[in-house]
Amino acid sequence: MNPFSSGTRLRDMIKAIRACKTAAEERAVVRKECAAIRSSISENDQDYSHRNIAKLMFIHMLGYPTHFGQMECLKLIASAGFPEKRIGYLGLMLLLDERQEVLMLVTNSLKQDLGHTNQYIVGLALCALGNICSAEMARDLAPEVERLLLTRDPNIKKKAALCSIRIIRKVPDLAENFLSPATSLLKEKHHGVLIAGVQLCTDLCKVSEDASNHLRKNCTEGLVRILKDICNSPYAPEYDIAGITDPFLHIRVLRLLRMLGHGDADTSEYINDILAQVASKTESNKNAGNAILYECVETIMGIEATSGLRVLAINILGRFLSNRDNNIRYVALNMLMKAISVDSQAVQRHRTTILECVKDSDASIRKRALELVFLLVNDTNAKPLTKELVDYLEVSDQDFKGDLTSKICSIIEKFSQEKKWYIDQMVKVLSLAGNYVKDNVWHALIVAISNAPDLQGYSVRSLYKAFQLSSEQVSLVQVTIWCIGEYGEMLVNNVGVLQVEEPMTVTESDAVDVLESCLTHHSTDITTQSMCLIALLKLSSRFPPSSGRVKEIITTHIGSVVLELQQRAIEFNSIIQRHQNIKSSLVERMPVLDESTFISKRAGSSQANISTEKSNQQLPSGASLKLSNGVAKPAASPLVDLLDLSLDDTPVPTSTSNDFLHDLLDVGLTNSSSSASGTDILMDLLSIGTPVQSNTTPENGSSIKGFNDILPIAKPNTATVQVVDLLDGLASNGSHPGAQSPVHPSIIAYQSSTLKITFSFTKQPDKPQVTQIHATFMNLSSEAYTDFIFQAAVPKFIQLHLDPANSNHLPASGNGRITQTFTITNTQHGQKPLAMRIRIAYKVSNQERLEQGQINNFPPGL
Amino acid sequence: MIHFVILISRQGKVRLTKWYSPYQQKERATAIRELSSLILTRGPKLCNFVEWKGYKAVYRRYASLYFCMCVDQDDNELEILEIIHHFVEILDRYFGSVCELDLIFNFHKAYYILDEILIAGELQESSKKIVARLIAAQDTMVETAKAEAGSVSNMIAQTM
């Protein structure tokens, strides 16, 4: 054995690692050492295994992987000498944790060591077992530990007691076995054993009801005596800390007494005296004394104490609260939260001090104080408390603002008795910390405003004022935009001015200014911009003279790169331009948002499916709260009903969030992905182009008196087409000559700038459900198409059978056509009309193209 | 119960960790990182308790080292401060005016001492004298065993 091959000593290795200046250097040193250790392990080098493991532990603490040393630990544990066992157990506890299977291999060694003659080795084994044993090991070795609880050596006894605690935590079933040994431990004199024993009894009480009863009956007297002894004992140098004998034992006994006295009047009465003695006698100028007082107060709060004792406890807490030491104040705030359930009046008296703590410079204290304040709020003090909190919100730290805001909002919501106060406070909070306010909070505000018609003018004016000052708060901006859009005329005409308001004149152009500035501001997000657009549309109807300016603003966004904004801009532009007659009814005042539905929806917001289906069913009744504001609302309800595609095709709920106000407020831009919403069908229709049906044109002009006329529909399909024609923004092809053929005229199913598809129908008289459709495809572009494939999808109640097409090459500019036949069977013939989604794929100069569309203009009766 | 004990230097280097609850390696690293950043940034006058992930972290600074113990919500924080002080005083007595370097080069001895004070996350012994006595006895056993082994291997080496 070469004495020089062992590598460096532990001390030298540590020095070398500390001398490294860069991480790479350190890695190199560690790698070299690990290699040396590995080779030493594989050579089975007995002399240096001790040192190897020590080195490995250091390397492990630095964060490097050391699993190759685990078996070495096991070998060390199994060897006979004390030093090896000592370092082996330490390595075991450091390098392994209870989840590793290697641990099971140690069980045998542990068992032997637990029965060793050398008490220190037994101690090592108990320590290791108590720190990292798993449930199986606990079960295996529990009998050994039980036996050791009864030895004479106090060192072993206390270790065995703590080890039993771990066993009980891992395997609660074994608790009964430890009950009687634990009780006998309480009769010991040795403080270490007493501490461990009391702790074991506490854990037994937590785990088992029987243990609790047993201990209550038999041990209360003994415990009180222990406490009395140490409380009254003279100076004992071994256990003295800051003039108090063994504060740790004090605290543990107090805790056990709390568990035993909880809910039991007799025990509580029995321990009243000793608690009073401890509470009054303990000095509180040092931390040890305060720790004991703290535990004492906790115990008094936790048992059925007399009122005198309670008063004593609250006094101690009051003293703590005004102590200058931050730790003590923190602890006091913690205790007061529990004291509220016991004596809330007393706690209310300290309200001002607690409010001061909310503004403290220490983050932990602030947090505790805020929670405590929240518990203290009741109807009488809600207003002043809210005022204080909102004032503080202005100056608070950024990381605290989030918590503070949500607490303030919940207080305001819970305790607001008048709507006006609610709106005032919410406007203030939004102006100060709008960015931290959650969406459902400001949605609730909007619901409240819509339900308070006499306050709407006031609300919109306050919001306008607030906006001038704090336009960087996103939620405030969103609420303001919505209100200006809805109640613009109230703002301008000073409707419903309350007494407390200062006079203010806002002109129409001011209101439009607000919206324009929001729209064009660089940091506004897409949601807010979309809301601006719809609000502008509303204003163009409410303020006719400003309509021109609004139109200009909207037109600037026709070229926006954001799809949602572009879509809205184009649609609204076309409404303003061409459909003035329906514009006002489109953007009429919204119906009052139903508060109770809103609250119940919020409460059941986890049930996404249910809420959306409920709202889907609401649609036909016209109270369609689920849909977008304005444009889509009246139109979509009959559409969804009659198309029924949404309800059949996709049972999955529509909106991205369960908060239906999202849709209401035109938020929720992922509508295009959720194909089932009514809005979406409309969008689909609009994106196709002009599937114009021939037989409806003559009826166009006369029947549009207002959208409400569309609601009672005789012929579903005609109404559909009317709507489409009305809202067509894209290539309007004009109407086809009305060839009112009797039953099944051909239709242009799909037309885009590059492709036209015509369907013609034949039916056999004896099979009314079956229709044969001949599709003709025509290429409108100047390049030929190859690999032309047509696909179709139909709702569940329709069956489709596609025959192969006659070719898949389509010459350009309509020089040739492809025809394809397919058969449709409508199982709900007469009840539901046909509808179909189509998909055409083709190649143009070796590039693949895809066109999709929906065909809804099938003639009725198919 | 105490879930874990960590000792970190002012620069954030870990000097000692002891885990009494099952934490995986990655979780341990995350916990250390998060607690370090929480504790090292706190000012001197603030209270010694930090709330972290539903637990309370009680810490105290001794010279250049932060001693931190993570406990349950319902534990007595002031008592934990006392336990930390108890540990530090015993270390002081053992090493004689302990400093950070002592703990770096003799980390295994610091672990032995900690194992005599805490098991399973609970306090084991409140008397400093008894702890010192136990450690001294075990150290003596190691010394005698080494001395014997030294003489034996010398004999073997000489015969080879």
Side-chain angles (χ1 to χ4, degrees), chain B residues 93-158:
Chain B
R93 248 186 243 196
Y94 181 76
F95 286 106
S97 221
V98 67
C99 63
E100 192 179 341
L101 274 180
D102 286 325
L103 294 180
I104 295 172
F105 282 96
N106 297 302
F107 63 92
H108 49 298
K109 300 206 178 136
Y111 274 110
Y112 293 143
I113 294 176
L114 186 58
D115 281 336
E116 288 298 329
I117 299 179
L118 295 174
I119 288 184
E122 301 291 349
L123 184 66
Q124 195 189 142
E125 180 59 66
S126 56
S127 156
K128 303 192 223 305
K129 207 165 83 173
I130 295 183
V131 174
R133 202 173 352 116
L134 287 169
I135 297 283
Q138 293 185 61
D139 281 345
T140 330
M141 285 190 68
V142 173
E143 292 300 312
T144 35
K146 260 202 202 144
E148 284 171 23
S151 57
V152 169
S153 66
N154 272 343
M155 281 169 22
I156 296 176
Q158 279 162 11

Side-chain angles (χ1 to χ4, degrees), chain A residues 1 10-11 14-15 18 26 47 50 54 57-58 60-61 82-83 86-87 90 93-94 96-99 118 120 124 126-127 130-132 155 158-159 162-163 165-166 169-170 190-193 195-196 199 203 238-239 241 246 248 251-252 255 258 287-288 290-292 294-295 298 320 326-328 330-331 334 361-365 367-368, chain B residues 1 13-25 27-28 42 45-51 56 60 73-83 86 100-101 103-109 111-112 115-131 133-135 137-139 141-143 145-146 153 156-157 160:
Chain A
M1 269 180 264
L10 173 65
R11 174 165 288 266
I14 298 180
K15 266 205 210 134
R18 278 170 63 79
E26 184 182 293
D47 291 349
H50 183 291
M57 287 196 286
F58 189 82
H60 179 83
M61 252 199 320
F82 177 77
R86 200 183 192 204
I87 197 85
L90 185 60
M93 286 191 278
L94 215 63
L96 281 118
D97 62 77
E98 72 180 66
R99 297 202 196 153
N118 185 335
Y120 295 108
L124 286 176
L126 281 170
C127 181
N131 283 340
I132 62 167
N155 181 27
K158 71 186 188 202
K159 289 193 160 79
L162 293 176
C163 192
I165 293 180
R166 183 164 176 113
R169 283 189 190 145
K170 289 283 162 195
H190 187 271
H191 279 224
V193 178
I195 287 179
Q199 190 60 46
D203 272 79
E238 194 173 342
Y239 295 106
I241 293 184
D246 208 341
F248 301 112
I251 292 173
R252 269 139 225 277
R255 201 177 291 165
R258 177 160 86 241
N287 189 48
N290 285 325
I292 295 179
Y294 179 27
E295 195 70 35
E298 284 236 25
F320 273 15
N326 280 330
N327 291 342
I328 309 289
Y330 177 92
V331 151
N334 222 357
S361 50
D362 186 338
S364 307
I365 290 188
K367 222 164 138 186
R368 287 269 136 241
Chain B
M1 67 177 272
K13 288 207 169 197
V14 175
R15 297 296 174 210
L16 190 146
T17 62
K18 186 88 185 177
W19 303 81
Y20 297 105
S21 279
Y23 276 80
Q24 299 232 354
Q25 280 304 116
E27 292 167 1
R28 292 183 187 191
R42 278 173 77 80
K45 294 272 171 44
L46 304 182
C47 74
N48 296 78
F49 317 120
V50 179
E51 309 208 0
K56 283 195 270 224
R60 189 169 249 168
Q73 282 285 355
D74 48 2
D75 277 338
N76 186 336
E77 301 94 330
L78 299 176
E79 190 204 8
I80 303 293
L81 276 177
E82 284 301 318
I83 294 181
H86 186 57
E100 192 179 341
L101 274 180
L103 294 180
I104 295 172
F105 282 96
N106 297 302
F107 63 92
H108 49 298
K109 300 206 178 136
Y111 274 110
Y112 293 143
D115 281 336
E116 288 298 329
I117 299 179
L118 295 174
I119 288 184
E122 301 291 349
L123 184 66
Q124 195 189 142
E125 180 59 66
S126 56
S127 156
K128 303 192 223 305
K129 207 165 83 173
I130 295 183
V131 174
R133 202 173 352 116
L134 287 169
I135 297 283
Q138 293 185 61
D139 281 345
M141 285 190 68
V142 173
E143 292 300 312
K146 260 202 202 144
S153 66
I156 296 176
M160 287 183 81

Side-chain angles (χ1 to χ4, degrees), chain A residues 227-234 250 277 281:
Chain A
L227 198 48
K228 242 189 235 177
D229 286 343
I230 46 172
C231 207
N232 298 329
S233 82
H250 268 98
Q277 189 186 351
K281 226 185 119 185

Side-chain angles (χ1 to χ4, degrees), chain A residues 446-470:
Chain A
I446 288 186
V447 172
I449 293 182
S450 117
N451 271 298
D454 41 335
L455 289 172
Q456 281 163 355
Y458 171 69
S459 316
V460 69
R461 279 187 291 274
S462 329
L463 284 166
Y464 179 80
K465 271 189 267 198
F467 176 81
Q468 306 296 333
L469 301 167
S470 355

